[in-house]
Amino acid sequence: MNAPLKKLHIKTYGCQMNVYDSERMIDILRPLGYEVSDVADGADLVLLNTCHIREKAAEKVYSEIGRLKELRGEKEARGEGRMTIAVAGCVAQAEGIEIMHRAPAVDLVIGPQAYHQLPELIARTHRAKGERLAADFAPEAKFDALTSDRTVTGPTAFLTVQEGCDKFCTFCVVPYTRGAEWSRPVAAILDEAQALAAKGVRELTLLGQNVNAFNGVGSDGQPSTLAKLMYALADIPGIDRLRYTTSHPNDMGDDLIAAHRDLGAAMPYLHLPVQSGSDKILRAMNRKHGRQAYFDLVARIKAARPDLALSGDFIVGFPGETDKDFEDTLDLVRQVGYASAFTFKYSPRPGTPAASMPNQVPEAVMDERLQTLNALIIEQQQAFKATLVGKTLDILFEKPGRRDNQAIGRSPYLQSVYVEDARHLIGQIVPVRIVAVGNNSLQGALLETVSA
Ligand code: 5AD
Ligand code: SF4
């Protein structure tokens, strides 16, 4: 007889790399008899896959642990056995020992490079308390321990190709939490992609903290580039769309720009964070390029692929940011024009150089700047979507919508597109006419429906 299934609840915070890691942790735990539960209540194992990028993201974890402690008590009172609480991800990496002190309810802390050891560590926490910490910086061992056989939930998938960062932007914890830049070998990536394609995946989003610094070793023993990798991936039957994130402007090589022109699978949408439009702030951030270099780069990319749309990340209120510096950011945003962007208030992170810089910007000033910037970004986002109305775009249908027979797909520019009578098309790429703009989405119609 099979052992009864154990319930696993994973809560994922932060970036897409954590989403990928959570999927892989589920794959690792499934053979041990864990099935995924959407709720923490009643779960045998709760895994918090955490983010350390901003203070708020890290604090959320501690309030969640408090809530879990109560659920654990209720579960035990019902006689359903113990709930194991594990903290994974970047908070685990950065604050491992501290978590143990601050939140004694936590059984296991596991860094982002160590989760292949989960089965063994969980078994250990069940056997005895005390040995509760695992954190190392060896992505190679982790990836070697993972199989390429993944559970697939639809026609799109994330695929981590690179981890870590050597850039040391002065505000950022990533070089400390995720370690040095490291790329997976090309063959391992192709294996994983082939397995995904065999299960119906049509679109891959290649992930890395510095994905365009990818230099994984190729079949010839030489370092590949991201562009080369993309050509190889596009050769896999079934893989029709490729995206990648996050890119650093300084790593946008000529061959990558050319791939946007020549490789049909390269989607015309690029996340290219600049963080600030002020040369003074860019220098203080150690971004290693100025605003003109960013303008020039965008011009080169758009020359290669005129319909390419950009998204970005912006930080307001970096130490020393004056009204003039912030104006420079607004000006950059106006000149570049973004299809979407993420905006953040600067959050001092312990151990990073910017945290101890003078002239920290008051919260109220940051709030005001964030509002101003958000208003501009939303205006640009809506304006960009409006340009798509009346156009026919290839939509990859991903999942059913709420309405009868409705399906939700993705445009080449990553917007969700709602289409009626399209449920039978899930998993396929189909031309769709865009008929209206929603707040966070587009509405489309199948071509036959339009002409009917
Ligand atoms: N404060 C605010 N935003 C930050 N980011 C990274 N570190 C910080 C910080 N300390 C933002 C950057 C980055 C994105 C992932 O998060 O914009 O591109
Ligand atoms: Fe952080 Fe800068 Fe590296 Fe991006 S490039 S992960 S912002 S240090």
Side-chain angles (χ1 to χ4, degrees):
M1 213 176 83
N2 288 337
L5 287 175
K6 291 169 276 186
K7 285 190 196 149
L8 161 69
H9 177 70
I10 297 200
K11 190 159 180 179
T12 307
Y13 301 82
C15 67
Q16 290 142 324
M17 301 201 55
N18 271 7
V19 175
Y20 176 88
D21 286 352
S22 288
E23 287 174 6
R24 302 310 322 257
M25 286 193 267
I26 294 171
D27 287 340
I28 289 173
L29 292 170
R30 206 173 256 128
L32 302 187
Y34 283 97
E35 67 170 5
V36 175
S37 163
D38 289 341
V39 289
D41 195 6
D44 300 292
L45 170 62
V46 176
L47 248 167
L48 302 178
N49 194 7
T50 61
C51 171
H52 197 245
I53 197 108
R54 285 169 292 276
E55 190 182 359
K56 263 203 188 132
E59 280 308 312
K60 273 191 210 157
V61 176
Y62 289 101
S63 58
E64 184 63 20
I65 292 168
R67 194 179 76 94
L68 291 176
K69 217 170 103 182
E70 282 173 28
L71 292 179
R72 168 192 279 172
E74 291 167 18
K75 184 172 185 280
E76 277 177 355
R78 292 195 299 267
E80 292 175 6
R82 190 178 158 81
M83 171 191 284
T84 302
I85 301 175
V87 177
C90 294
V91 176
Q93 184 68 60
E95 298 183 10
I97 305 257
E98 262 171 83
I99 298 174
M100 291 292 172
H101 290 303
R102 220 179 126 175
V106 172
D107 298 293
L108 174 65
V109 176
I110 180 159
Q113 310 301 357
Y115 62 66
H116 57 291
Q117 300 168 21
L118 259 177
E120 187 199 324
L121 292 166
I122 288 170
R124 256 154 66 176
T125 64
H126 285 174
R127 278 201 302 272
K129 285 199 166 191
E131 272 187 302
R132 304 188 300 173
L133 187 68
D136 62 48
F137 282 129
E140 218 156 336
K142 173 180 75 178
F143 281 108
D144 282 352
L146 299 174
T147 71
S148 54
D149 183 24
R150 291 174 50 187
T151 308
V152 159
T153 50
T156 61
F158 291 136
L159 206 176
T160 293
V161 302
Q162 183 274 337
E163 293 210 15
C165 182
D166 297 340
K167 300 283 187 295
F168 290 93
C169 299
T170 52
F171 52 81
C172 187
V173 286
V174 166
Y176 312 96
T177 52
R178 290 272 176 165
E181 283 175 12
W182 179 82
S183 299
R184 292 177 72 187
V186 171
I189 297 166
L190 294 180
D191 274 357
E192 195 170 324
Q194 253 148 8
L196 290 169
K199 292 183 174 178
V201 169
R202 310 287 304 271
E203 174 180 305
L204 293 175
T205 301
L206 311 179
L207 300 179
Q209 260 93 30
N210 245 291
V211 70
N212 57 342
F214 176 83
N215 65 356
V217 62
S219 52
D220 55 0
Q222 299 300 311
S224 172
T225 60
L226 185 65
K228 270 197 198 158
L229 175 68
M230 285 169 68
Y231 275 94
L233 287 166
D235 275 345
I236 297 174
I239 299 298
D240 295 315
R241 289 180 157 197
L242 294 171
R243 306 179 185 278
Y244 56 93
T245 196
T246 287
S247 300
H248 192 287
N250 287 2
D251 291 318
M252 283 304 298
D254 289 341
D255 66 341
L256 189 53
I257 295 175
H260 278 286
R261 182 189 61 217
D262 302 329
L263 182 62
M267 286 293 96
Y269 185 77
L270 179 60
H271 186 59
L272 195 63
V274 63
Q275 314 294 355
S276 168
S278 152
D279 274 329
K280 181 189 95 190
I281 297 297
L282 286 170
R283 237 186 339 269
M285 286 177 163
N286 191 31
R287 290 290 294 180
K288 303 186 179 89
H289 67 77
R291 66 187 253 132
Q292 191 54 47
Y294 187 77
F295 287 138
D296 294 346
L297 175 61
V298 168
R300 279 169 55 225
I301 297 168
K302 292 237 170 148
R305 182 80 199 233
D307 65 336
L308 184 136
L310 287 167
S311 79
D313 289 342
F314 293 92
I315 295 176
V316 300
F318 185 84
E321 185 188 72
T322 61
D323 286 343
K324 165 77 175 66
D325 294 317
F326 178 60
E327 270 306 318
D328 285 349
T329 296
L330 294 175
D331 177 71
L332 179 143
V333 172
R334 283 190 205 102
Q335 288 199 46
V336 170
Y338 287 88
S340 100
F342 299 97
T343 56
F344 309 101
K345 282 192 281 187
Y346 169 68
S347 167
R349 307 309 291 126
T352 59
S356 51
M357 284 183 186
N359 302 321
Q360 299 281 329
V361 175
E363 192 73 20
V365 176
M366 287 206 267
D367 281 332
E368 208 184 304
R369 288 181 187 164
L370 189 70
Q371 268 187 28
T372 309
L373 180 59
N374 281 346
L376 176 60
I377 298 283
I378 289 169
E379 193 186 303
Q380 292 196 341
Q381 197 170 317
Q382 290 304 96
F384 175 69
K385 279 190 287 189
T387 65
L388 301 175
V389 175
K391 287 198 174 137
T392 298
L393 301 178
D394 282 342
I395 303 303
L396 171 55
F397 284 105
E398 286 181 13
K399 56 184 179 198
R402 267 208 213 126
R403 295 234 287 267
D404 245 10
N405 225 6
Q406 188 186 51
I408 307 173
R410 289 266 173 202
S411 79
Y413 307 106
L414 216 50
Q415 297 111 341
S416 294
V417 184
Y418 288 72
V419 184
E420 307 303 321
D421 301 321
R423 240 175 231 195
H424 60 294
L425 297 171
I426 289 171
Q428 295 183 43
I429 298 171
V430 179
V432 164
R433 184 157 166 145
I434 305 304
V435 293
V437 171
N439 266 348
N440 291 308
S441 62
L442 296 169
Q443 214 173 335
L446 297 176
L447 295 188
E448 297 84 347
T449 320
V450 171
S451 55

